[in-house]
Amino acid sequence: MTQPVSPPRDGTGKVPSAAGTPARRTVPFRTDVRTLSLLGVLAVLVLIGGVTRPDEFLDTRNLQLVLTQASVIGVVTVGMTFVIISGGIDLSVGAIVALASVWATTVATQEYGFGGILLTAVLVGLGCGLVNGVLIAYGGMVPFIATLAMLASARGLALQITDGRTQIVTVDGVLDLGERDSYVLGVPPLVLVFAAVTVIGWLVLNRTTFGRRSVAVGGNAEAARLAGIDVRRQRLHLYLLSGLCCGIAAFLLIVLAGSGQNTNGNLYELDAIAAAIIGGTLLTGGRGTIVGSVLGVLIFTTITNIFALNNLQSDVQQIAKGAIIVAAVLVQRRTASTT
């Protein structure tokens, strides 16, 4: 008679949970410390900006600009955070934003007005996310390779659509969202969209089964599978989510720039990954926070703004960002070794 096969047990004799190994669990105290630390860094940057360029940095228009610029990459980062938490990576987000922005601003698309531009941007993002998800979840491709291929393909297609030219938006409903008359209590509409995406992302990650399954897959995919989670389907949904966020970000970028270009979203993948990392998301998966990622976005955007106001060259900005990323990874490794 065939004996039932019992699930594998860890060193303590306990069955591993779907949430991953104990080493992956987030300690609330440490999470609070990390969040407070990021808030402290952001406060120091605001102080530096206020001291070096008080009249310009603390001006209401400049603060609105910082938040608006953070909104586009911030929406991308929310999707990237989910992917990294699950143990994956998406190098194609910047190229997807570019492709969605140029596809949504063609003359044919603009004939359908506001709804046509928004729907096209979202559908293109979802389509690219679907391709990534199918290749990774069901095709067995490594996320790095699959999304790298998408990066090259999407950039090439965006260039082919535009032929290297800028596509000007002529739809008044889209352009009006970038005007000050559309601000709600002084808050730009793009910032409100970013806030909504952030809140929804936080709720999905922390209050839904989908969020718990994402953490479980990143913490221990085999344990998640044994617990009854369809790991392949979960990964597919995560890349769809990333593509959706890219589509939304593309529409925000269209509103912000009033045009579509094949160069849009340049290096967004690096900025999104960096923001997630300094926000506390582990590159190995199994842990991360939406709040931390958003604070990471605000820190990088504030740094860029301060450097621009002080007429510092872009190469210095990149060096500073690189140093921050290295420091964040070192802190992660130290924290993981003591967890």
Side-chain angles (χ1 to χ4, degrees), residues 28-255:
F29 174 75
R30 285 182 177 167
T31 300
D32 293 339
V33 169
R34 185 182 301 110
T35 301
L36 290 174
S37 299
L38 292 172
L39 287 172
V41 172
L42 185 59
V44 170
L45 290 174
V46 172
L47 180 62
I48 293 174
V51 170
T52 57
R53 293 288 181 179
D55 295 335
E56 299 175 39
F57 180 79
L58 297 178
D59 182 73
T60 302
R61 290 177 179 268
N62 183 64
L63 296 178
Q64 291 172 335
L65 175 62
V66 170
L67 292 176
T68 301
Q69 292 175 336
S71 298
V72 180
I73 185 62
V75 172
V76 174
T77 302
V78 170
M80 180 70 79
T81 301
F82 275 91
V83 171
I84 297 178
I85 285 175
S86 70
I89 198 72
D90 192 347
L91 300 179
S92 63
V93 291
I96 295 175
V97 169
L99 179 59
S101 68
V102 300
W103 204 323
T105 54
T106 60
V107 175
T109 303
Q110 292 193 51
E111 290 180 355
Y112 293 94
F114 183 99
I117 293 177
L118 174 59
L119 182 61
T120 300
V122 170
L123 289 179
V124 171
L126 284 172
C128 293
L130 177 63
V131 174
N132 281 337
V134 170
L135 291 176
I136 293 167
Y138 296 96
M141 292 188 67
V142 177
F144 180 90
I145 300 300
T147 58
L148 185 62
M150 176 58 73
L151 182 156
S153 301
R155 282 289 180 194
L157 184 55
L159 178 60
Q160 187 178 52
I161 291 175
T162 62
D163 196 23
R165 294 191 293 266
T166 299
Q167 299 178 163
I168 305 299
V169 176
T170 58
V171 179
D172 292 335
V174 174
L175 298 175
D176 290 343
L177 288 177
E179 300 296 330
R180 296 189 62 83
D181 293 340
S182 64
Y183 288 12
V184 180
L185 299 177
V187 180
L190 274 65
V191 178
L192 295 177
V193 173
F194 176 35
V197 171
T198 299
V199 171
I200 294 173
W202 185 91
L203 290 174
V204 170
L205 180 61
N206 296 281
R207 295 291 185 267
T208 67
T209 303
F210 181 86
R212 290 190 292 272
R213 287 176 177 173
S214 300
V215 175
V217 170
N220 190 324
E222 181 62 17
R225 185 186 67 81
L226 293 172
I229 297 176
D230 189 333
V231 175
R232 293 191 299 178
R233 184 174 63 183
Q234 185 69 20
R235 285 175 174 159
L236 172 62
H237 290 167
L238 285 163
Y239 281 96
L240 278 172
L241 176 60
S242 179
L244 173 62
C245 288
C246 289
I248 296 173
F251 179 76
L252 298 183
L253 190 57
I254 291 170
V255 173

Side-chain angles (χ1 to χ4, degrees), residues 24 80 83-90 218 272-274 276-278 280-288 325 329 332:
R24 300 287 187 188
M80 180 70 79
V83 171
I84 297 178
I85 285 175
S86 70
I89 198 72
D90 192 347
I273 293 171
I277 291 174
I278 70 171
T281 302
L282 289 180
L283 275 175
T284 52
R287 189 182 75 191
I325 295 171
V329 172
Q332 275 193 6

